[in-house]
Amino acid sequence: MPLPARSSFPSAPESVRRARLFADRTLASWGLDARADDVRLCISELATNAVTHGSVPGRGFTVTVTAEDDAVCIEVDDPSPRRLRPCHTTSDDTTGRGLHLLGALSDEWGVTEHDPVGKTVWSRFKTTPAPRKAPC
């Protein structure tokens, strides 16, 4: 397995595109781009959340991409003490769907709170099909 790839970005709107390109290029260099569309969209959502809700003056966010035996993991760390919660949106809302997309596109996700502040939002994307069960 390749070593995890990590890059830090300033808390600025243009960093969302840079984070997406970083993850995309990392997966391509590893030959693990089968789920690149899902990873790309989730990185965009998590980086946007980090810039919009997780920013602290003078501190940015970090993206880590890790290859495992059967999955690709992404992590976005931000320094904010603000807790992460999925929003309840209506069809008229133009924001608030990022964590719902993360749940729909990744195989699992979660949040690790750091003491005293900050958090890591992570998600896993399986890269090999699940074994089929034999018929009864």
Side-chain angles (χ1 to χ4, degrees):
M1 289 290 111
L3 293 174
R6 181 174 288 115
S7 188
S8 295
F9 303 92
S11 185
E14 60 272 9
S15 292
V16 174
R17 182 178 79 73
R18 291 179 51 222
R20 187 174 52 243
L21 288 172
F22 164 73
D24 210 27
R25 289 177 182 154
T26 299
L27 293 178
S29 74
W30 292 344
L32 294 173
D33 51 1
R35 304 258 335 248
D37 290 339
D38 294 341
V39 171
R40 191 179 306 113
L41 181 55
C42 289
I43 284 284
S44 290
E45 292 297 331
L46 293 178
T48 298
N49 282 351
V51 169
T52 305
H53 307 293
S55 62
V56 170
R59 303 219 18 223
F61 64 96
T62 302
V63 174
T64 305
V65 182
T66 306
E68 297 178 347
D69 289 336
D70 63 346
V72 169
C73 295
I74 59 171
E75 299 176 349
V76 176
D77 298 311
D78 72 58
S80 173
R82 186 174 177 182
R83 292 219 185 276
L84 191 68
R85 287 186 303 238
C87 296
H88 299 286
T89 60
T90 68
S91 59
D92 295 330
D93 292 330
T94 58
T95 63
R97 292 181 178 81
L99 295 179
H100 297 288
L101 285 171
L102 187 67
L105 296 174
S106 67
D107 293 296
E108 63 181 310
W109 72 277
V111 180
T112 304
E113 302 286 339
H114 301 290
D115 188 25
V117 295
K119 64 190 159 296
T120 301
V121 185
W122 58 268
S123 60
R124 294 182 79 241
F125 302 83
K126 292 181 183 174
T127 55
T128 56
R132 290 186 172 204
K133 292 184 178 180
C136 296

Coordinates of all heavy atoms in Angstrom, one line a residue, residues 27-121:
L27 N -5.4 9.6 -6.2 CA -6.0 8.4 -6.6 C -5.5 7.9 -7.9 O -5.2 6.7 -8.1 CB -7.5 8.5 -6.6 CG -8.2 8.8 -5.2 CD1 -9.7 8.9 -5.4 CD2 -7.9 7.6 -4.3
A28 N -5.4 8.8 -8.9 CA -4.9 8.4 -10.2 C -3.5 7.9 -10.2 O -3.1 6.9 -10.8 CB -5.0 9.6 -11.2
S29 N -2.6 8.5 -9.4 CA -1.2 8.0 -9.3 C -1.1 6.7 -8.6 O -0.2 5.9 -8.9 CB -0.4 9.1 -8.5 OG -0.6 9.0 -7.1
W30 N -2.1 6.3 -7.8 CA -2.1 5.0 -7.2 C -2.9 4.0 -8.0 O -2.9 2.8 -7.6 CB -2.8 5.1 -5.8 CG -2.0 5.8 -4.7 CD1 -0.7 6.2 -4.8 CD2 -2.6 6.3 -3.5 NE1 -0.4 6.9 -3.6 CE2 -1.5 7.0 -2.8 CE3 -3.8 6.3 -2.9 CZ2 -1.7 7.6 -1.6 CZ3 -4.0 6.9 -1.7 CH2 -3.0 7.5 -1.0
G31 N -3.5 4.4 -9.1 CA -4.3 3.5 -9.9 C -5.6 3.1 -9.2 O -6.1 2.0 -9.4
L32 N -6.1 3.9 -8.3 CA -7.3 3.6 -7.5 C -8.4 4.6 -7.8 O -9.0 5.2 -6.9 CB -7.0 3.7 -6.0 CG -6.0 2.6 -5.5 CD1 -5.7 2.8 -4.0 CD2 -6.6 1.2 -5.7
D33 N -8.6 4.9 -9.1 CA -9.6 5.9 -9.4 C -11.0 5.4 -9.8 O -11.8 6.1 -10.4 CB -9.1 6.8 -10.5 CG -8.5 6.0 -11.7 OD1 -8.6 4.8 -11.7 OD2 -8.0 6.7 -12.6
A34 N -11.3 4.1 -9.5 CA -12.6 3.5 -9.8 C -13.7 4.3 -9.1 O -14.8 4.4 -9.7 CB -12.7 2.0 -9.4
R35 N -13.5 4.8 -7.9 CA -14.5 5.6 -7.2 C -14.2 7.0 -7.1 O -14.7 7.8 -6.3 CB -14.7 5.0 -5.8 CG -15.0 3.6 -5.7 CD -16.4 3.1 -5.4 NE -17.3 4.0 -4.7 CZ -17.8 3.8 -3.4 NH1 -17.4 2.7 -2.7 NH2 -18.7 4.6 -2.9
A36 N -13.4 7.5 -8.1 CA -12.9 8.9 -8.1 C -14.0 9.9 -8.1 O -14.0 10.9 -7.5 CB -11.9 9.1 -9.2
D37 N -15.1 9.6 -8.8 CA -16.2 10.6 -8.9 C -16.9 10.8 -7.5 O -17.1 11.9 -7.1 CB -17.3 10.1 -9.9 CG -16.8 10.2 -11.3 OD1 -15.9 11.0 -11.6 OD2 -17.4 9.6 -12.2
D38 N -17.1 9.7 -6.8 CA -17.6 9.8 -5.5 C -16.7 10.5 -4.5 O -17.1 11.3 -3.7 CB -18.0 8.4 -4.9 CG -19.1 7.7 -5.7 OD1 -19.8 8.3 -6.4 OD2 -19.1 6.4 -5.6
V39 N -15.4 10.1 -4.6 CA -14.4 10.7 -3.7 C -14.3 12.2 -4.0 O -14.3 13.1 -3.1 CB -13.0 10.1 -3.8 CG1 -12.0 10.9 -3.1 CG2 -13.1 8.6 -3.3
R40 N -14.3 12.6 -5.3 CA -14.2 14.0 -5.7 C -15.3 14.8 -5.1 O -15.1 15.9 -4.6 CB -14.1 14.1 -7.2 CG -13.8 15.4 -7.8 CD -13.7 15.4 -9.3 NE -12.9 14.3 -9.9 CZ -13.3 13.3 -10.5 NH1 -14.6 13.1 -10.8 NH2 -12.5 12.4 -11.0
L41 N -16.5 14.3 -5.2 CA -17.7 15.1 -4.8 C -17.7 15.2 -3.2 O -17.9 16.2 -2.7 CB -19.0 14.4 -5.2 CG -20.3 15.1 -4.8 CD1 -20.3 16.6 -5.2 CD2 -21.5 14.4 -5.4
C42 N -17.3 14.1 -2.5 CA -17.2 14.2 -1.1 C -16.1 15.1 -0.6 O -16.3 15.8 0.4 CB -17.1 12.7 -0.5 SG -18.6 11.8 -0.7
I43 N -15.0 15.1 -1.2 CA -13.9 16.0 -0.9 C -14.4 17.4 -1.1 O -14.2 18.3 -0.2 CB -12.6 15.8 -1.7 CG1 -11.9 14.5 -1.2 CG2 -11.7 17.0 -1.7 CD1 -11.1 14.7 0.1
S44 N -15.1 17.7 -2.2 CA -15.6 19.0 -2.4 C -16.6 19.5 -1.3 O -16.5 20.6 -0.8 CB -16.4 19.1 -3.7 OG -15.5 19.0 -4.8
E45 N -17.5 18.6 -0.9 CA -18.4 18.9 0.2 C -17.7 19.1 1.5 O -18.0 20.1 2.2 CB -19.5 17.8 0.3 CG -20.4 17.7 -0.9 CD -21.2 18.9 -1.1 OE1 -21.5 19.7 -0.1 OE2 -21.6 19.2 -2.2
L46 N -16.8 18.2 1.9 CA -16.1 18.4 3.2 C -15.2 19.6 3.2 O -15.1 20.3 4.2 CB -15.3 17.1 3.5 CG -16.2 15.9 3.7 CD1 -15.3 14.6 4.0 CD2 -17.1 16.1 4.9
A47 N -14.5 19.9 2.1 CA -13.6 21.0 2.0 C -14.5 22.3 2.1 O -14.1 23.3 2.8 CB -12.8 21.0 0.8
T48 N -15.6 22.3 1.4 CA -16.5 23.5 1.5 C -17.0 23.7 3.0 O -17.0 24.8 3.5 CB -17.7 23.3 0.6 OG1 -17.2 23.2 -0.8 CG2 -18.7 24.4 0.7
N49 N -17.3 22.6 3.6 CA -17.7 22.7 5.1 C -16.6 23.2 5.9 O -16.8 24.1 6.8 CB -18.2 21.3 5.6 CG -19.6 21.0 5.2 OD1 -20.3 21.8 4.6 ND2 -19.9 19.7 5.5
A50 N -15.4 22.8 5.6 CA -14.2 23.2 6.4 C -14.0 24.7 6.2 O -13.7 25.5 7.2 CB -13.0 22.5 6.0
V51 N -14.1 25.2 5.0 CA -13.9 26.6 4.7 C -15.1 27.4 5.3 O -14.9 28.5 5.9 CB -13.8 26.9 3.2 CG1 -13.9 28.4 2.8 CG2 -12.5 26.3 2.6
T52 N -16.3 27.0 5.1 CA -17.5 27.7 5.5 C -17.8 27.7 7.0 O -18.1 28.7 7.6 CB -18.7 27.2 4.7 OG1 -18.5 27.2 3.4 CG2 -20.0 28.0 5.0
H53 N -17.6 26.5 7.6 CA -18.0 26.3 9.0 C -16.9 26.0 9.9 O -17.0 26.1 11.1 CB -19.1 25.2 9.1 CG -20.3 25.4 8.2 ND1 -21.2 26.4 8.4 CD2 -20.7 24.7 7.1 CE1 -22.1 26.3 7.4 NE2 -21.8 25.3 6.7
G54 N -15.8 25.5 9.4 CA -14.7 25.0 10.3 C -13.5 25.9 10.3 O -12.5 25.5 10.8
S55 N -13.6 27.1 9.8 CA -12.4 27.9 9.7 C -12.2 28.7 11.0 O -13.2 29.0 11.7 CB -12.5 28.9 8.6 OG -13.7 29.8 8.7
V56 N -11.0 28.9 11.3 CA -10.5 29.7 12.5 C -9.5 30.6 11.9 O -8.7 30.2 11.1 CB -9.9 28.8 13.5 CG1 -9.2 29.6 14.6 CG2 -10.9 27.8 14.1
P57 N -9.6 31.9 12.2 CA -8.6 32.9 11.6 C -7.2 32.4 11.7 O -6.7 31.9 12.7 CB -8.8 34.1 12.4 CG -10.2 34.0 12.9 CD -10.5 32.6 13.2
G58 N -6.5 32.4 10.5 CA -5.1 32.0 10.4 C -4.8 30.5 10.3 O -3.7 30.1 10.3
R59 N -5.9 29.7 10.3 CA -5.7 28.3 10.2 C -6.6 27.7 9.1 O -7.7 28.1 9.0 CB -6.1 27.6 11.6 CG -5.3 28.2 12.7 CD -4.8 27.3 13.8 NE -4.8 25.9 13.6 CZ -5.2 25.1 14.5 NH1 -5.7 25.5 15.7 NH2 -5.1 23.8 14.3
G60 N -6.0 26.8 8.4 CA -6.7 26.2 7.3 C -7.2 24.8 7.6 O -7.6 24.5 8.8
F61 N -7.3 23.9 6.6 CA -7.7 22.6 6.8 C -6.7 21.6 6.1 O -6.0 22.0 5.3 CB -9.1 22.4 6.3 CG -9.3 22.6 4.9 CD1 -9.3 21.5 4.0 CD2 -9.5 23.8 4.3 CE1 -9.5 21.6 2.6 CE2 -9.7 24.0 3.0 CZ -9.7 22.9 2.1
T62 N -6.8 20.4 6.5 CA -5.9 19.4 5.9 C -6.7 18.2 5.4 O -7.7 17.8 6.0 CB -4.9 18.8 7.0 OG1 -4.2 19.9 7.6 CG2 -4.0 17.8 6.5
V63 N -6.3 17.7 4.2 CA -6.9 16.6 3.5 C -5.9 15.4 3.5 O -4.7 15.6 3.2 CB -7.3 16.9 2.1 CG1 -7.8 15.7 1.4 CG2 -8.4 18.0 2.1
T64 N -6.4 14.3 4.0 CA -5.5 13.1 3.9 C -6.2 12.0 3.1 O -7.4 11.8 3.3 CB -5.3 12.5 5.4 OG1 -4.7 13.6 6.1 CG2 -4.3 11.3 5.3
V65 N -5.5 11.4 2.2 CA -6.1 10.3 1.4 C -5.2 9.0 1.7 O -4.0 9.1 1.7 CB -6.0 10.6 -0.1 CG1 -6.6 9.5 -0.9 CG2 -6.7 11.9 -0.4
T66 N -5.9 7.9 2.1 CA -5.2 6.7 2.4 C -5.8 5.5 1.6 O -7.0 5.4 1.5 CB -5.4 6.4 4.0 OG1 -5.0 7.6 4.7 CG2 -4.7 5.2 4.4
A67 N -4.9 4.7 1.2 CA -5.3 3.5 0.5 C -5.2 2.3 1.5 O -4.2 2.1 2.2 CB -4.4 3.2 -0.7
E68 N -6.3 1.5 1.6 CA -6.3 0.3 2.4 C -6.4 -0.9 1.5 O -6.5 -0.7 0.2 CB -7.5 0.4 3.4 CG -7.4 1.5 4.3 CD -8.6 1.6 5.3 OE1 -9.6 0.9 5.0 OE2 -8.5 2.4 6.2
D69 N -6.4 -2.1 2.0 CA -6.5 -3.3 1.2 C -7.8 -3.2 0.3 O -7.7 -3.6 -0.9 CB -6.6 -4.5 2.1 CG -5.2 -4.8 2.7 OD1 -4.2 -4.4 2.1 OD2 -5.2 -5.5 3.7
D70 N -8.9 -2.8 0.8 CA -10.1 -2.9 0.1 C -10.9 -1.6 0.1 O -12.1 -1.5 -0.2 CB -11.0 -4.0 0.7 CG -11.4 -3.6 2.2 OD1 -10.8 -2.7 2.8 OD2 -12.4 -4.2 2.7
A71 N -10.2 -0.5 0.4 CA -10.9 0.8 0.4 C -10.0 2.0 0.3 O -8.8 1.8 0.4 CB -11.7 1.0 1.7
V72 N -10.6 3.1 -0.1 CA -9.9 4.4 0.0 C -10.5 5.2 1.1 O -11.8 5.2 1.2 CB -10.0 5.1 -1.4 CG1 -9.5 6.6 -1.3 CG2 -9.2 4.4 -2.5
C73 N -9.7 5.8 1.9 CA -10.2 6.7 3.0 C -9.8 8.1 2.7 O -8.7 8.4 2.3 CB -9.7 6.2 4.3 SG -10.2 4.6 4.8
I74 N -10.7 9.0 3.0 CA -10.4 10.4 3.0 C -10.7 11.0 4.3 O -11.7 10.6 5.0 CB -11.2 11.2 1.8 CG1 -12.7 11.1 2.0 CG2 -10.8 10.7 0.5 CD1 -13.5 12.0 1.1
E75 N -9.9 12.0 4.7 CA -10.1 12.7 6.0 C -9.9 14.2 5.7 O -9.0 14.6 5.0 CB -9.1 12.3 7.0 CG -9.2 10.8 7.4 CD -8.1 10.4 8.4 OE1 -7.1 11.3 8.6 OE2 -8.1 9.3 8.9
V76 N -10.8 15.0 6.3 CA -10.6 16.4 6.3 C -10.6 16.9 7.7 O -11.6 16.7 8.5 CB -11.8 17.1 5.5 CG1 -11.6 18.6 5.6 CG2 -11.7 16.7 4.0
D77 N -9.5 17.5 8.1 CA -9.3 18.0 9.5 C -9.5 19.5 9.5 O -9.0 20.2 8.6 CB -7.9 17.8 10.0 CG -7.6 16.3 10.1 OD1 -8.3 15.6 10.7 OD2 -6.5 15.9 9.6
D78 N -10.3 20.1 10.4 CA -10.4 21.5 10.6 C -10.2 21.8 12.1 O -10.5 21.0 12.9 CB -11.6 22.1 10.0 CG -12.9 21.8 10.7 OD1 -13.0 22.1 11.9 OD2 -13.8 21.2 10.1
P79 N -9.8 23.1 12.4 CA -9.5 23.5 13.7 C -10.7 24.0 14.5 O -10.6 24.4 15.7 CB -8.5 24.6 13.6 CG -8.9 25.2 12.3 CD -9.4 24.1 11.4
S80 N -11.9 24.0 14.0 CA -13.1 24.6 14.6 C -13.6 23.7 15.8 O -13.7 22.5 15.7 CB -14.2 24.8 13.6 OG -15.4 25.3 14.2
P81 N -14.0 24.4 16.8 CA -14.7 23.7 17.9 C -16.2 23.4 17.6 O -16.8 22.6 18.4 CB -14.6 24.6 19.1 CG -14.6 26.0 18.5 CD -13.8 25.8 17.2
R82 N -16.7 23.9 16.5 CA -18.1 23.7 16.1 C -18.3 22.2 15.8 O -17.7 21.6 15.0 CB -18.4 24.6 14.9 CG -19.8 24.6 14.5 CD -20.0 25.6 13.4 NE -21.4 25.6 13.0 CZ -21.9 26.3 12.0 NH1 -21.1 27.1 11.4 NH2 -23.1 26.2 11.7
R83 N -19.4 21.7 16.4 CA -19.8 20.3 16.2 C -20.5 20.2 14.8 O -21.2 21.1 14.4 CB -20.7 19.8 17.3 CG -20.0 19.7 18.6 CD -20.6 18.5 19.3 NE -20.1 18.3 20.7 CZ -18.9 17.8 21.0 NH1 -18.1 17.4 20.0 NH2 -18.6 17.6 22.2
L84 N -20.3 19.0 14.3 CA -20.9 18.7 12.9 C -22.2 18.1 13.1 O -22.4 17.1 13.9 CB -19.9 17.8 12.2 CG -20.1 17.6 10.7 CD1 -19.9 18.9 10.0 CD2 -19.2 16.5 10.2
R85 N -23.2 18.6 12.4 CA -24.6 18.0 12.4 C -25.2 18.0 11.0 O -25.2 19.1 10.4 CB -25.5 18.7 13.4 CG -25.2 18.5 14.8 CD -26.3 19.2 15.6 NE -26.3 20.7 15.3 CZ -26.1 21.7 16.1 NH1 -25.9 21.4 17.4 NH2 -26.1 22.9 15.7
P86 N -25.8 16.9 10.6 CA -26.5 17.0 9.3 C -27.7 18.0 9.4 O -28.4 18.0 10.5 CB -27.0 15.6 9.1 CG -26.1 14.7 9.9 CD -25.7 15.6 11.1
C87 N -28.0 18.7 8.4 CA -29.1 19.6 8.4 C -30.3 18.9 7.9 O -30.3 18.0 7.1 CB -28.8 20.8 7.4 SG -27.4 21.8 7.9
H88 N -31.5 19.4 8.3 CA -32.7 19.0 7.8 C -33.1 20.0 6.7 O -33.4 21.2 7.1 CB -33.8 18.9 8.9 CG -33.4 17.9 10.0 ND1 -33.5 16.6 9.8 CD2 -32.9 18.1 11.2 CE1 -33.1 15.9 10.8 NE2 -32.7 16.8 11.7
T89 N -33.1 19.6 5.5 CA -33.3 20.5 4.4 C -34.7 20.3 3.7 O -35.3 19.2 3.9 CB -32.2 20.4 3.3 OG1 -32.3 19.0 2.8 CG2 -30.9 20.7 3.9
T90 N -35.1 21.3 3.0 CA -36.4 21.2 2.2 C -35.9 21.3 0.8 O -34.8 21.6 0.5 CB -37.4 22.3 2.5 OG1 -36.8 23.6 2.1 CG2 -37.7 22.4 4.0
S91 N -36.8 21.1 -0.1 CA -36.5 21.1 -1.6 C -36.2 22.5 -2.0 O -35.5 22.7 -3.1 CB -37.7 20.6 -2.4 OG -38.9 21.3 -2.1
D92 N -36.5 23.5 -1.2 CA -36.2 24.9 -1.6 C -34.8 25.3 -1.1 O -34.3 26.4 -1.6 CB -37.2 25.9 -1.0 CG -38.6 25.7 -1.6 OD1 -38.7 25.3 -2.8 OD2 -39.6 25.9 -0.9
D93 N -34.2 24.6 -0.2 CA -32.9 25.0 0.4 C -31.8 24.8 -0.7 O -31.8 23.8 -1.5 CB -32.6 24.1 1.6 CG -33.4 24.4 2.8 OD1 -33.9 25.6 2.9 OD2 -33.7 23.5 3.6
T94 N -30.9 25.7 -0.7 CA -29.7 25.6 -1.7 C -28.5 25.2 -1.0 O -27.5 25.0 -1.7 CB -29.5 27.0 -2.3 OG1 -29.2 28.0 -1.3 CG2 -30.7 27.5 -3.1
T95 N -28.5 25.0 0.3 CA -27.3 24.4 1.0 C -27.8 23.4 2.1 O -29.0 23.2 2.3 CB -26.5 25.6 1.8 OG1 -27.4 26.1 2.7 CG2 -26.1 26.6 0.8
G96 N -26.8 22.7 2.7 CA -27.2 21.8 3.8 C -27.3 20.4 3.4 O -27.7 19.6 4.3
R97 N -26.8 20.0 2.2 CA -27.0 18.6 1.8 C -25.6 17.9 1.8 O -25.6 16.7 1.5 CB -27.6 18.6 0.4 CG -29.0 19.0 0.4 CD -29.6 18.9 -1.0 NE -31.0 19.3 -1.0 CZ -31.4 20.5 -1.0 NH1 -30.6 21.5 -1.0 NH2 -32.7 20.8 -1.0
G98 N -24.5 18.5 2.2 CA -23.2 17.9 2.1 C -23.1 16.6 2.8 O -22.6 15.6 2.3
L99 N -23.5 16.6 4.1 CA -23.4 15.3 4.9 C -24.3 14.2 4.4 O -24.0 13.0 4.5 CB -23.6 15.6 6.3 CG -22.5 16.5 7.0 CD1 -22.8 16.8 8.4 CD2 -21.1 15.9 6.8
H100 N -25.4 14.6 3.8 CA -26.4 13.6 3.2 C -25.7 13.0 2.0 O -25.8 11.8 1.8 CB -27.7 14.3 2.9 CG -28.4 14.8 4.1 ND1 -29.0 14.0 5.0 CD2 -28.6 16.1 4.5 CE1 -29.6 14.8 6.0 NE2 -29.3 16.0 5.7
L101 N -25.0 13.8 1.2 CA -24.3 13.3 0.0 C -23.2 12.4 0.5 O -23.0 11.3 -0.1 CB -23.7 14.4 -0.8 CG -24.7 15.2 -1.7 CD1 -24.1 16.4 -2.3 CD2 -25.3 14.3 -2.8
L102 N -22.5 12.7 1.5 CA -21.4 11.9 2.0 C -22.0 10.5 2.4 O -21.4 9.5 2.1 CB -20.8 12.6 3.2 CG -19.5 12.0 3.8 CD1 -18.4 12.1 2.8 CD2 -19.1 12.7 5.1
G103 N -23.1 10.5 3.1 CA -23.7 9.3 3.5 C -24.2 8.4 2.4 O -24.1 7.2 2.4
A104 N -24.7 9.1 1.3 CA -25.2 8.4 0.2 C -24.0 7.8 -0.7 O -24.2 6.7 -1.3 CB -26.1 9.3 -0.7
L105 N -22.9 8.5 -0.8 CA -21.9 8.1 -1.7 C -20.8 7.3 -1.1 O -20.1 6.5 -1.8 CB -21.2 9.4 -2.4 CG -22.2 10.2 -3.2 CD1 -21.5 11.5 -3.7 CD2 -22.7 9.4 -4.4
S106 N -20.5 7.4 0.2 CA -19.4 6.6 0.8 C -20.0 5.4 1.4 O -21.2 5.3 1.7 CB -18.7 7.5 1.8 OG -19.5 7.8 2.9
D107 N -19.2 4.4 1.7 CA -19.6 3.2 2.4 C -19.8 3.3 3.9 O -20.5 2.6 4.5 CB -18.7 2.0 2.0 CG -18.8 1.7 0.5 OD1 -19.9 1.3 0.1 OD2 -17.8 2.0 -0.2
E108 N -19.0 4.3 4.4 CA -19.2 4.6 5.9 C -18.5 5.9 6.1 O -17.6 6.3 5.3 CB -18.7 3.5 6.8 CG -17.2 3.2 6.7 CD -16.8 2.1 7.7 OE1 -17.2 2.2 8.9 OE2 -16.1 1.2 7.3
W109 N -18.9 6.7 7.1 CA -18.3 7.9 7.4 C -18.5 8.2 8.9 O -19.4 7.6 9.6 CB -18.8 9.1 6.5 CG -20.3 9.5 6.8 CD1 -21.4 8.9 6.4 CD2 -20.6 10.6 7.6 NE1 -22.5 9.6 6.9 CE2 -22.1 10.7 7.7 CE3 -19.9 11.6 8.3 CZ2 -22.8 11.6 8.3 CZ3 -20.7 12.6 9.0 CH2 -22.1 12.6 9.0
G110 N -17.8 9.2 9.4 CA -17.9 9.6 10.8 C -17.1 10.8 11.1 O -16.5 11.4 10.2
V111 N -17.2 11.2 12.3 CA -16.5 12.4 12.8 C -15.7 12.0 14.1 O -16.2 11.4 15.0 CB -17.5 13.5 13.2 CG1 -16.7 14.8 13.7 CG2 -18.4 13.9 12.0
T112 N -14.5 12.4 14.1 CA -13.6 12.3 15.3 C -13.4 13.7 15.9 O -12.8 14.5 15.2 CB -12.3 11.6 15.0 OG1 -12.6 10.3 14.3 CG2 -11.5 11.4 16.2
E113 N -13.9 13.9 17.1 CA -13.7 15.2 17.7 C -12.3 15.2 18.4 O -11.9 14.1 18.9 CB -14.8 15.4 18.8 CG -16.2 15.4 18.3 CD -16.6 16.6 17.5 OE1 -15.9 17.7 17.6 OE2 -17.5 16.5 16.7
H114 N -11.6 16.3 18.4 CA -10.3 16.4 19.0 C -10.4 17.3 20.2 O -11.2 18.2 20.3 CB -9.3 17.0 18.0 CG -9.2 16.2 16.8 ND1 -8.6 14.9 16.7 CD2 -9.6 16.4 15.5 CE1 -8.6 14.4 15.5 NE2 -9.2 15.3 14.7
D115 N -9.6 16.9 21.2 CA -9.5 17.7 22.5 C -8.3 18.6 22.4 O -7.2 18.1 22.2 CB -9.5 16.7 23.6 CG -9.7 17.4 25.0 OD1 -10.3 18.4 25.0 OD2 -9.2 16.8 26.0
P116 N -8.4 19.9 22.6 CA -9.6 20.6 23.1 C -10.5 21.1 22.0 O -11.7 21.3 22.2 CB -9.0 21.8 23.9 CG -7.7 22.0 23.1 CD -7.2 20.7 22.7
V117 N -10.0 21.2 20.8 CA -10.8 21.7 19.7 C -10.4 21.0 18.4 O -9.4 20.5 18.2 CB -10.7 23.3 19.5 CG1 -11.3 24.0 20.7 CG2 -9.3 23.7 19.1
G118 N -11.3 21.2 17.4 CA -11.1 20.6 16.1 C -11.7 19.3 15.9 O -12.3 18.7 16.8
K119 N -11.7 18.8 14.6 CA -12.4 17.6 14.3 C -11.8 17.0 13.0 O -11.2 17.8 12.2 CB -13.9 17.7 14.2 CG -14.3 18.6 13.1 CD -15.8 18.9 13.2 CE -16.2 20.2 12.4 NZ -15.6 21.4 12.9
T120 N -12.0 15.7 12.8 CA -11.7 15.1 11.5 C -13.0 14.4 11.0 O -13.6 13.6 11.7 CB -10.6 14.0 11.7 OG1 -9.4 14.6 12.2 CG2 -10.3 13.3 10.4
V121 N -13.4 14.8 9.8 CA -14.5 14.1 9.2 C -13.9 13.1 8.2 O -13.0 13.5 7.4 CB -15.4 15.1 8.4 CG1 -16.6 14.4 7.9 CG2 -15.9 16.2 9.4

